Each structure stands twice: as C-alpha cells, then as structure tokens.
Amino acid sequence: MNAMDLRNLGLFRVMTDKMAWHNQRQEILARNVANADTPEYRPHDIVPFDFKRELRQAKGLPLSGQKPGHLSVSMDGDAYREGKTRTSYETAPAGNAVVLEEQMMLVGRNAADYQTLLNIYRKQVGMLRTAIGRSGTQ
C-alpha cells in the first residue's frame, strides 16, 4: 500500500507553503539583524501570506484580479516577492534604519506563528490517521 502524500491535498499544500513563507521571512529578518550596523541599510520584509486566497486557489476556485507576481500554491526558493519596506522612525547617523528591538519582535512573532502552524499541521495529520483507521503505528 502506498503512503498518502499529504502535499497533494489542498489544505496541507497551503500549510506547507505558509511554513516555507515563514522560513524565508526568518532569513530576511535575520539578514536585517545582521546588517544592523551597515551604513545606509534599510530593513526588508516580504509580502504577507494570504492564507485564505491561497486556500481558495488550492481548491481551484477562481481568483478575482489575479496578477503576475501573486503567490502560487507550490513555491520554491525565493518565489516570494519582497514587501514594501516601512520607513523607520529611527535612523542611525550612518543612515541605518534597522531597529533591533523591532526586528527581534518580528523574529519572535514569526517563530511563534511557524510553531503554531506546525502544531495545526500535526493535528490535521493525526485526525486523518484516525479517520482512515490508523493510529500511526503499524
């Protein structure tokens, strides 16, 4: 019997994409922190993940106003567009606009959101196993 590939199910595919989005965001936020002392450096971020829109797209429902650059359901590497960089109210004399406290807050929130999504993913897998009569041990 072949194991079910959860990546083929719409909800799981979108949750996997959302986890990939969090991973990429973590890299960008880490780059911001690493460049906190770089002259003229401005912090970056990526376009927020629209879970509802992505889920609709995974289900094959039409999207209104789909444009080039919109996130697709299966994403690889650097497929996420960079979001608008907010103008910081604090700028160092060397022109650096990274506020470490703000970046660390974003890093923490991003990690917590990733962990929450991972827990939901695990619960969904458990419910599927229960529904098909598997306890996870065979």
Side-chain angles (χ1 to χ4, degrees):
M1 176 161 56
N2 291 338
M4 182 187 315
D5 187 3
L6 296 178
R7 292 173 294 187
N8 292 331
L9 299 175
L11 177 62
F12 288 98
R13 192 171 30 193
V14 174
M15 288 194 318
T16 301
D17 289 346
K18 174 75 168 159
M19 286 188 276
W21 180 89
H22 281 294
N23 283 332
Q24 186 172 2
R25 185 166 193 225
Q26 199 73 5
E27 289 175 20
I28 290 170
L29 296 173
R31 192 175 314 133
N32 290 344
V33 171
N35 285 292
D37 291 328
T38 304
E40 302 298 321
Y41 186 83
R42 299 279 184 249
H44 298 76
D45 206 342
I46 57 177
V47 174
F49 191 91
D50 187 345
F51 196 88
K52 185 176 180 180
R53 185 179 61 77
E54 292 299 320
L55 187 56
R56 285 182 54 172
Q57 186 174 347
K59 289 181 177 180
L61 299 173
L63 295 174
S64 60
Q66 189 167 0
K67 298 177 184 174
H70 274 192
L71 300 176
S72 63
V73 174
S74 58
M75 301 195 205
D76 300 314
D78 294 330
Y80 301 104
R81 294 183 299 127
E82 184 173 323
K84 273 189 175 177
T85 303
R86 184 179 63 77
T87 305
S88 180
Y89 59 89
E90 289 184 37
T91 303
N96 185 298
V98 176
V99 178
L100 282 175
E101 293 83 1
E102 178 183 43
Q103 294 302 309
M104 296 310 292
M105 181 188 68
L106 293 174
V107 165
R109 185 180 312 146
N110 190 59
D113 290 347
Y114 179 89
Q115 189 61 47
T116 300
L117 187 60
L118 183 59
N119 290 338
I120 293 170
Y121 190 94
R122 287 179 180 157
K123 291 289 184 184
Q124 293 295 320
V125 169
M127 288 188 338
L128 273 178
R129 283 186 174 161
T130 300
I132 60 175
R134 287 186 178 171
S135 64
T137 57
Q138 272 190 312

